[in-house]
Amino acid sequence: MSTPKKTVAALLLAALLLGGGWAARATHVLKVCPQGCAYARIQDALDALEGEGFVFVRAGTYRENLRIDGKRGLTLIAHPGEAVTLEAGDAGAPGISILNSQGVTVQGLRVLGGARGLEAGDTLELNLLGNQFEDNAVQGVVLSGTRATLDGNLVLGTRRDREGNNGQGIVAFNSVVTIQNSGVLDNAGFGVLATGSSTMLLTDNTMEGNGVLGIGVEAQAQATIQRNLIDAQKPDAEGRFGRGIEVSSSGTVIVMDNFITGNANAGLSAVAGAQLVALRNTISGTDGFGVLLAGTSQTSLAQNTISDNARAGVALGQQAQVSLADNAITGNGGPGVSVGFSDIAGEAVQAELKGNRIQANGGCAVAVDGDEAIAVAGERNRGEAQADTCDPAGKLGQGFWTR
């Protein structure tokens, strides 16, 4: 995981302070430090800034809650190489609140102790670069009606509220968000949640040790989740969940080239009316299922490696519609593929399996429940002998296995 380059900020600062170049002529530059600057409080500098400009903050701990409202072209940045901590003066309010603004950048701050580290509403072109949001309550970062890029941030240790709810690292509601090169770690609730009509791109991040889910996509949200490490999510207080990625009642979600490892309940899950495409992921080491597909979800899994999970490699249930093509499903503790849940009657799973390698699993290669409406088609699958297939109703057909 990379962070924004200090040299870029240093060069920008040098250009501004030397007084030459377009940046110095077009913008205002205000400086904040505990002693010896024109401003000792960050909020005072933000309020004093007229038009576009920069607020540079020198090293120190600033106990205040910041509000940016109606600003355009504002950059709030820690002085390169210096540690700037914003500790919420009012623990019941956000550390930073950004409203009705455009072209705002927040860079290099450590923000802690607020009810939300940062909240943004009705804001365009928001850039959060190289910040650390730590030990906040409710959410680390929450975005509503906002277009934002988060690059090189750490969001960690978010706590639940007094009622025991929330605790998410990052939440986007009706927003367009890119999250990249960031770490979302050890938050009490979801690592990242996309909800409402949000569109989200997550690339090259680490989601580790969060409660409930690493990444959740729900409502009508859409997401592309690519090249992330999604590891070791924890169950909730009742011992449930702990899933790497869960898609629920969403728009189309594309999950590709991720490492989804060591999660408590399932590596990848699609439920309710989710629409999911999963391509070239490694899903392994889960204490439960590698992949869990249920509800009325519609899912395509292709070229994934699904291995060494404690229960079934892929579990299909209820009315799920699933295509599995060219996956390697090996070394799982239960069946390679389980179609139908034995404790649910009247299921109508529709599954097609083509060209998969299903080998060395602890249970049957493929186990098919006997519910009448379950239908399984397939061809060119390779694996254990057909005698190891648990298919009492004979649903697989003659061409399912290739010898």
Side-chain angles (χ1 to χ4, degrees), residues 298-335:
Q298 301 177 45
T299 302
S300 173
L301 299 175
Q303 301 176 39
N304 300 282
T305 298
I306 304 168
S307 64
D308 301 309
N309 300 288
R311 300 180 68 181
V314 181
L316 316 177
Q318 298 174 323
Q319 286 75 47
Q321 300 179 43
V322 183
S323 169
L324 293 119
D326 303 312
N327 300 284
I329 305 171
T330 63
N332 299 286

Side-chain angles (χ1 to χ4, degrees), residues 233 235 242 261-267 284-290 308-312:
Q233 316 315 314
T261 61
N263 297 286
N265 178 276
S284 66
T286 302
D287 292 338
F289 303 112
D308 301 309
N309 300 288
R311 300 180 68 181

Side-chain angles (χ1 to χ4, degrees), residues 331-385:
N332 299 286
V337 179
S338 177
V339 185
F341 301 134
S342 60
D343 58 344
I344 299 178
E347 293 178 287
V349 176
Q350 307 292 301
E352 181 178 59
L353 287 74
K354 292 184 177 181
N356 301 285
R357 180 166 62 88
I358 309 172
Q359 291 179 317
N361 297 287
C364 306
V366 179
V368 184
D369 194 70
D371 287 339
E372 183 177 355
I374 289 177
V376 183
E379 61 185 16
R380 297 183 293 102
N381 297 289
R382 295 168 291 128
E384 287 93 352

Side-chain angles (χ1 to χ4, degrees), residues 66-346:
L66 305 183
R67 184 178 177 87
I68 298 170
D69 194 347
K71 294 288 188 177
R72 300 290 183 271
L74 181 151
T75 296
L76 171 62
I77 183 170
H79 194 281
E82 298 190 4
V84 174
T85 298
L86 176 67
E87 184 176 337
D90 178 359
I96 302 174
S97 180
I98 303 172
L99 303 171
N100 307 304
S101 296
Q102 183 171 354
V104 171
T105 296
V106 178
Q107 183 170 347
L109 305 185
R110 179 173 179 240
V111 182
L112 57 87
R116 298 175 173 169
L118 181 146
E119 68 172 11
D122 299 318
T123 291
L124 301 177
E125 300 173 34
L126 173 64
N127 296 290
L128 305 179
L129 309 177
N131 303 287
Q132 182 167 320
F133 301 95
E134 179 181 356
D135 193 31
N136 297 286
V138 189
Q139 286 100 20
V141 176
V142 60
L143 309 169
S144 178
T146 291
R147 290 179 175 268
T149 296
L150 287 71
D151 193 345
N153 299 280
L154 283 175
V155 182
L156 69 161
T158 308
R159 296 172 278 110
R160 296 187 184 276
D161 58 25
R162 293 179 180 178
E163 288 72 39
N165 301 316
N166 296 302
Q168 300 97 344
I170 301 171
V171 176
F173 180 74
N174 294 344
S175 294
V176 178
V177 182
T178 296
I179 304 172
Q180 58 194 25
N181 305 315
S182 294
V184 184
L185 315 173
D186 297 319
N187 299 286
F190 295 15
V192 175
L193 175 63
T195 188
S197 60
S198 293
T199 298
M200 183 175 285
L201 173 64
L202 298 107
T203 59
D204 302 303
N205 303 288
T206 296
M207 313 290 173
E208 184 175 326
N210 301 289
V212 189
L213 303 174
I215 300 171
V217 185
E218 65 177 26
Q220 298 305 308
Q222 302 182 59
T224 298
I225 302 169
Q226 185 174 17
R227 297 192 309 272
N228 302 281
L229 172 63
I230 303 164
D231 181 61
Q233 316 315 314
K234 304 170 185 175
D236 63 14
E238 286 75 41
R240 303 170 300 173
F241 298 104
R243 297 174 180 171
I245 300 173
E246 180 161 283
V247 182
S248 173
S249 301
S250 67
T252 299
V253 176
I254 299 171
V255 177
M256 58 185 180
D257 301 317
N258 300 282
F259 285 90
I260 305 171
T261 61
N263 297 286
N265 178 276
L268 175 63
S269 173
V271 298
Q275 301 177 57
L276 171 65
V277 176
L279 178 66
R280 298 189 305 269
N281 302 284
T282 296
I283 304 170
S284 66
T286 302
D287 292 338
F289 303 112
V291 178
L292 174 62
L293 307 174
T296 58
S297 58
Q298 301 177 45
T299 302
S300 173
L301 299 175
Q303 301 176 39
N304 300 282
T305 298
I306 304 168
S307 64
D308 301 309
N309 300 288
R311 300 180 68 181
V314 181
L316 316 177
Q318 298 174 323
Q319 286 75 47
Q321 300 179 43
V322 183
S323 169
L324 293 119
D326 303 312
N327 300 284
I329 305 171
T330 63
N332 299 286
V337 179
S338 177
V339 185
F341 301 134
S342 60
D343 58 344
I344 299 178

Side-chain angles (χ1 to χ4, degrees), residues 30 32 39 41-51 55 64-69 71 74 76 97:
L30 304 180
V32 180
Y39 300 95
R41 297 180 70 253
I42 300 172
Q43 187 65 55
D44 291 343
L46 294 173
D47 292 342
L49 189 66
E50 296 181 358
V55 173
E64 50 184 312
N65 300 75
L66 305 183
R67 184 178 177 87
I68 298 170
D69 194 347
K71 294 288 188 177
L74 181 151
L76 171 62
S97 180

